Amino acid sequence: MPKTTLSSKTTSSSKTTSSSRRPFRVGRAKTGLGLFATKLIRRGSFIVRYIGRMLPNRIADELDTKYLFEVNARWTVDGSSRKNVARYVNHSCRPNAEADVKKRKILITAIKTINPGDEITYNYGRDYFNAFIKDHGCRCAACHQKKSVLRSKHKGRKKGKGGKRRKH
């Protein structure tokens, strides 16, 4: 009897996740895990709140985590908890969302209309980029596209210059 109750609970919870109120899901991205739209998110719409422990900056500077979000000159949010779904929003040089700080709360809102299946991204800022991304190279869609265009132009030049010349 307890097994039947357990399986019925499992079934009902799986139905709840498929018809979630949230307009996003966590999924596999090129850079690891990412947040993807499951419903149309209009420009200006609130998406998710970045949550976590509020720490003084002096303590946050000593932590070894990438999920720190500086709120102001005094406070930082430690978003490393898995309850913080906003931590899965990846960086992009051409983002479709932005993070706004209002009364020490970090709100992620859409700056463009985001279609179902699109990854939700925002620009992490110059300091984070220089500290964590620059050395490894940015893997956002905009930079990946730019690199492939440069590679194709470079290949085109090699083909045009190659080969022997005839003298007349």
Side-chain angles (χ1 to χ4, degrees):
M1 184 116 170
K3 287 183 180 178
T4 310
T5 311
L6 183 64
S7 66
S8 66
K9 284 182 180 177
T10 310
T11 309
S12 64
S13 68
S14 65
K15 287 181 183 176
T16 319
T17 45
S18 64
S19 62
S20 176
R21 299 178 306 146
R22 296 177 170 178
F24 54 79
R25 67 173 176 79
V26 176
R28 178 70 48 203
K30 288 183 180 181
T31 57
L33 291 176
L35 210 61
F36 293 86
T38 56
K39 299 174 183 172
L40 184 76
I41 303 171
R42 299 216 181 270
R43 186 174 139 220
S45 299
F46 167 78
I47 300 171
V48 68
R49 184 174 158 209
Y50 197 94
I51 59 171
R53 295 183 305 159
M54 190 72 76
L55 302 171
N57 286 347
R58 59 183 163 75
I59 294 172
D61 290 341
E62 296 172 11
L63 295 177
D64 187 30
T65 178
K66 294 187 212 177
Y67 299 106
L68 298 174
F69 197 112
E70 192 171 291
V71 175
N72 57 32
R74 188 172 173 203
W75 296 101
T76 296
V77 172
D78 176 12
S80 58
S81 167
R82 291 204 178 206
K83 290 179 183 177
N84 178 26
V85 180
R87 78 186 216 147
Y88 298 108
V89 178
N90 286 320
H91 164 81
S92 177
C93 295
R94 278 199 231 137
N96 54 18
E98 68 180 356
D100 293 319
V101 178
K102 294 181 182 175
K103 296 183 182 179
R104 296 193 336 191
K105 293 181 181 176
I106 304 158
L107 309 172
I108 313 253
T109 55
I111 57 173
K112 298 177 183 176
T113 298
I114 304 169
N115 294 311
D118 290 351
E119 185 175 6
I120 300 167
T121 59
Y122 69 90
N123 192 327
Y124 286 0
R126 181 170 282 150
D127 292 340
Y128 187 95
F129 185 88
N130 290 337
F132 295 103
I133 299 173
K134 190 175 184 178
D135 292 341
H136 305 291
C138 185
R139 293 188 289 178
C140 75
C143 290
H144 181 72
Q145 185 179 10
K146 186 167 60 172
K147 286 176 189 170
S148 64
V149 168
L150 290 173
R151 272 186 255 139
S152 65
K153 284 183 181 178
H154 185 67
K155 283 181 181 178
R157 275 193 235 134
K158 280 186 175 179
K159 287 180 182 175
K161 289 183 178 180
K164 296 180 181 179
R165 288 186 172 183
R166 281 191 192 175
K167 291 184 179 179
H168 288 266

